[in-house]
Amino acid sequence: DQQVKQNSPSLSVQEGRISILNCDYTNSMFDYFLWYKKYPAEGPTFLISISSIKDKNEDGRFTVFLNKSAKHLSLHIVPSQPGDSAVYFCAASLSFGNEKLTFGTGTRLTIIP
Amino acid sequence: KAGVTQTPRYLIKTRGQQVTLSCSPISGHRSVSWYQQTPGQGLQFLFEYFSETQRNKGNFPGRFSGRQFSNSRSEMNVSTLELGDSALYLCASSGRWQTTDTQYFGPGTRLTVL
């Protein structure tokens, strides 16, 4: 039972344009959401997070949007850069500080120069 | 500050054998979590240790076990290996109540079961 889903296994975006990565979840008890980026041969790196009491969180070029009623979150990267090419995972936990993260299967983002 | 280190980086075993993986957390971090990454399944939570005690556990069979030492280093053991255990095993550390940040992952151990 996949509680966190990333339905797009891959995405290609032109450099300088906006990249939008999507994530859906089924467990309404999830309270805290995170995005990680992963390069080959490296562990995932934390990007940005959002608590369920917010609907938007911004950090530089990265913005995460949360729609609780739709159980949907998205990561926007503007403008997209070649170094953004990686696999992106969304993750959810039952509360902030709860180390048990439930991950999606990932979306491979390729930025085309 | 040194990051999370995992040893070995690569491992090849045969079915039925057992394996032990090691993880050294970031200095000062007391929580260590383990994840299994397989193609198509994403990262799946195995367990979390904090102050030598298992605090959280995922849905894996009892062949998967772990422990944490007083210096916060953690080991994960898989007994009676099966082909399906081939995966990238990642560990992550966090300061838990010491920081407001999240988990920091190591590079992983790639286990291949033949």
Side-chain angles (χ1 to χ4, degrees), chain A residues 34 36 43 46 96 99 101 105, chain B residues 35 40 94 96 100 102-103 106:
Chain A
L34 310 93
Y36 282 83
F46 169 74
F96 171 75
E99 269 67 20
L101 298 179
T105 51
Chain B
Y35 292 83
S94 72
R96 230 181 197 235
T100 58
T102 186
Q103 297 178 49

Side-chain angles (χ1 to χ4, degrees), chain B:
Chain B
K1 207 182 225 184
V4 178
T5 58
Q6 292 187 246
T7 56
R9 292 293 310 276
Y10 301 92
L11 206 49
I12 299 175
K13 292 285 188 179
T14 55
R15 277 183 302 173
Q17 287 188 308
Q18 77 164 17
V19 66
T20 299
L21 312 181
S22 180
C23 172
S24 292
I26 291 172
S27 177
H29 284 188
R30 294 168 64 191
S31 170
V32 174
S33 300
W34 288 90
Y35 292 83
Q36 180 196 66
Q37 184 186 7
T38 53
Q41 290 291 321
L43 284 79
Q44 295 185 287
F45 177 82
L46 280 154
F47 29 65
E48 181 223 352
Y49 285 87
F50 179 77
S51 291
E52 302 177 64
T53 302
Q54 187 179 91
R55 290 299 183 105
N56 272 307
K57 190 176 188 307
N59 299 322
F60 278 80
R63 299 186 298 106
F64 292 82
S65 63
R67 59 177 175 168
Q68 187 180 35
F69 302 94
S70 58
N71 61 359
S72 294
R73 189 177 71 84
S74 177
E75 286 183 348
M76 191 194 95
N77 184 277
V78 187
S79 62
T80 321
L81 284 166
E82 300 176 0
L83 295 178
D85 297 333
S86 293
L88 180 67
Y89 290 89
L90 293 156
C91 94
S93 76
S94 72
R96 230 181 197 235
W97 313 119
Q98 297 174 17
T99 73
T100 58
D101 212 334
T102 186
Q103 297 178 49
Y104 296 87
F105 283 83
T109 294
R110 171 75 62 186
L111 171 65
T112 302
V113 182
L114 303 176

Side-chain angles (χ1 to χ4, degrees), chain A residues 12-19 79-84 110-113:
Chain A
S12 294
V13 174
Q14 208 75 34
E15 182 180 357
R17 305 292 288 269
I18 183 172
S19 295
S80 300
Q81 299 174 354
D84 296 330
T110 302
I111 305 303
I112 304 164

